[in-house]
Every structure is written in C-alpha cells, then in structure tokens.
Amino acid sequence: MPHHPPASDAALKPRSEKRRPSFFWLLAVLVLPIFNLAVRFRFHHPERMPQAGAFVLAPNHYSEIDPVVMGVVCWKLGRAPRFLAKASLFKNPVLGWLLRTSGQIPVERAGSKSHAALRAAEDLVAKGRMVVVYPEGSLTREPDLWPMRGKTGAVRIALERDIPIIPAAHWGTQELLPRYGKKLSVFPRKTIDVIIGEPLDLSAYRGKPLDQASLLKATGELMDAIAGLLAEVRGEPAPAERWDPTAHGQKETGRLDG
C-alpha cells in the first residue's frame, strides 16, 4: 500500500463541539490513552469532516470494534459521536449505561421498534449533532472485507432531514480485532487508515417522494462511494458490484459459518 503521511496537528486540533462540557470528556479520559497506545491513526482528508451542524457519517463495517474505532476517529476530528447501536449492547449493565449516558441510540433488528431508532436519530439531527450509521447494518459478508449491499436507513435520514451524508472508510482495524474475533491484538501498535469522503450528491433525490426504488438506488451510490474510498487506502480496486448475502445463501445477521 502506498505511504500517506499523517495529517498535520493543525488539521486535527480540537474544535468547538469538543470544548463543550459533556459525558464524552469522561469517555475520552478512559478510552483515548488506551487507544493511543494500541493504535496509530493515519488520516486522509480529515478536513472533509464537518465541524458544525448535523450530518450522517456512513462508514464501512467489518469488525466488532469498528464503533469504538470510529468513535475515537470522530472525537479526534472534532465531533462528539452518536451511533445507531445494536439494542442487545444496551443490556450489559456497564456498557448500556455508558451508551445511554452518551446519547447512543438502540436499534432493534426488526419490527416496529426499528422505526423508533430512525426517529431518535432525527432528534439528534434536529439538535445539530452528527450521527454515525453503518449502512451495511452488520459486519460485511464479503470474503475480502469489501463493503456489501447496504440498507436504506442512512440515506433515508439524510433525505428526510435534508442534511449531508458523508461516506467514510477505514482499513487496519482487522489487525486489532478480526471479523468475529474475540481477542484484541494490542501489541505491536497497529496503524489504521481512515479516509473521509466528500458529501454524497443526493440532489437527484431531494424534494421528491422517497419510494423504495429511489432509496435503494441512492443507497447503492453510497456503498459505491464507500468502496471507492476503501480502495484508495487499500491501494487496490474494489469489486465492481457490492456483495449480496442473499445471493450467496448467507444470513443477513449473526456470525458466518466457517
């Protein structure tokens, strides 16, 4: 992979959202020292991260520790991260308390409660906050960890609330915790590349009825953008088409066999 120098300290300096007292200060004190020992981030285009206002950040997803990694990334780039997180995580007494106190949003896999998560995300947006949404919905099933087919929730929030959606990609997290891995590999220190994309052009869909066909088409464009960003940091071309679990006889959620 070609070498990319790390972003300058000036590009990563603390911004206004981080200066406001919040529960994230405590999380930063607890998490950042450990992460800084285990991980060296190499940022590409950090200037593309909006420093004010609401937006959806849509990254790729291939490791269980991705949300922690992207939470640290958002904080380092000046924003307080809020996520749509699996509802099961909230059942852990300690983790659930941390998630609820920091304003994370529980997501049910299916049923009527799944719509409540979108409404909660929109409440964050109304307050000018960012929300991280993994459009794949679960860890990618693609054998080589490229993004798979996406779900429409991320695009729907962006279009319904008329806010930007920013694609992003990271690579190297699998060295810290492999897909479906249970044991962190802290030493030696890992390098994780993170690239922030330009806002996805949704002008063809804004102000029009949000039918399923339009949402699926816009989501396909989002997943192509994420795959393109990942190809840039991996230094190799992405597959021409996104992986479809159903077409390969795979479950939508849960661990893959083998």
Side-chain angles (χ1 to χ4, degrees):
M1 187 177 67
H3 173 72
H4 297 271
S8 66
D9 290 340
L12 304 180
K13 65 182 180 181
R15 305 289 180 156
S16 58
E17 190 171 28
K18 288 174 61 174
R19 294 193 185 112
R20 292 197 294 269
S22 71
F23 184 72
F24 286 100
W25 283 13
L26 174 59
L27 289 180
V29 168
L30 295 174
V31 175
L32 286 181
I34 299 171
F35 244 77
N36 288 337
L37 285 175
V39 171
R40 170 181 175 259
F41 286 103
R42 192 158 55 191
F43 292 97
H44 310 261
H45 302 296
E47 75 283 353
R48 293 174 178 170
M49 177 75 88
Q51 294 302 307
F55 70 98
V56 177
L57 185 70
N60 59 325
H61 194 16
Y62 58 86
S63 171
E64 296 281 7
I65 204 170
D66 286 346
V68 179
V69 170
M70 289 308 297
V72 171
V73 164
C74 292
W75 186 256
K76 284 180 175 285
L77 296 185
R79 298 301 301 258
R82 271 86 176 184
F83 287 82
L84 298 187
K86 289 189 297 185
S88 59
L89 297 177
F90 288 75
K91 296 177 182 178
N92 179 290
V94 176
L95 180 58
W97 179 79
L98 287 171
L99 290 170
R100 282 187 292 272
T101 306
S102 59
Q104 312 309 314
I105 303 166
V107 179
E108 300 288 349
R109 287 295 190 185
S112 60
K113 290 184 179 179
S114 62
H115 298 290
L118 292 179
R119 301 288 85 81
E122 290 171 357
D123 181 61
L124 288 179
V125 165
K127 296 174 181 176
R129 296 168 179 167
M130 68 167 293
V131 61
V132 182
V133 182
Y134 287 102
E136 292 166 273
S138 61
L139 303 188
T140 182
R141 267 65 177 138
E142 208 279 337
D144 295 320
L145 304 183
W146 292 100
M148 65 175 180
R149 179 191 65 187
K151 300 183 182 299
T152 60
V155 163
R156 179 183 289 276
I157 293 171
L159 287 172
E160 285 186 348
R161 307 306 300 182
D162 194 24
I163 60 172
I165 184 166
I166 310 290
H170 58 93
W171 187 243
T173 307
Q174 73 278 11
E175 301 298 329
L176 187 65
L177 184 70
R179 179 172 55 180
Y180 307 119
K182 297 298 182 184
K183 185 178 180 181
L184 283 171
S185 175
V186 178
F187 301 108
R189 195 180 188 206
K190 309 299 187 291
T191 296
I192 297 179
D193 283 275
V194 180
I195 183 168
I196 309 298
E198 298 282 3
L200 188 69
D201 183 4
L202 293 177
S203 57
Y205 308 98
R206 294 197 187 278
K208 298 178 181 179
L210 297 184
D211 58 88
Q212 188 68 6
S214 296
L215 288 170
L216 287 172
K217 188 171 186 295
T219 298
E221 293 172 11
L222 172 63
M223 299 315 301
D224 288 347
I226 295 170
L229 292 170
L230 185 58
E232 188 173 335
V233 293
R234 286 178 61 163
E236 55 183 308
E241 295 184 3
R242 308 286 74 79
W243 184 268
D244 184 345
T246 304
H248 291 84
Q250 296 173 327
K251 298 179 296 182
E252 290 282 343
T253 61
R255 293 175 62 97
L256 290 174
D257 295 329

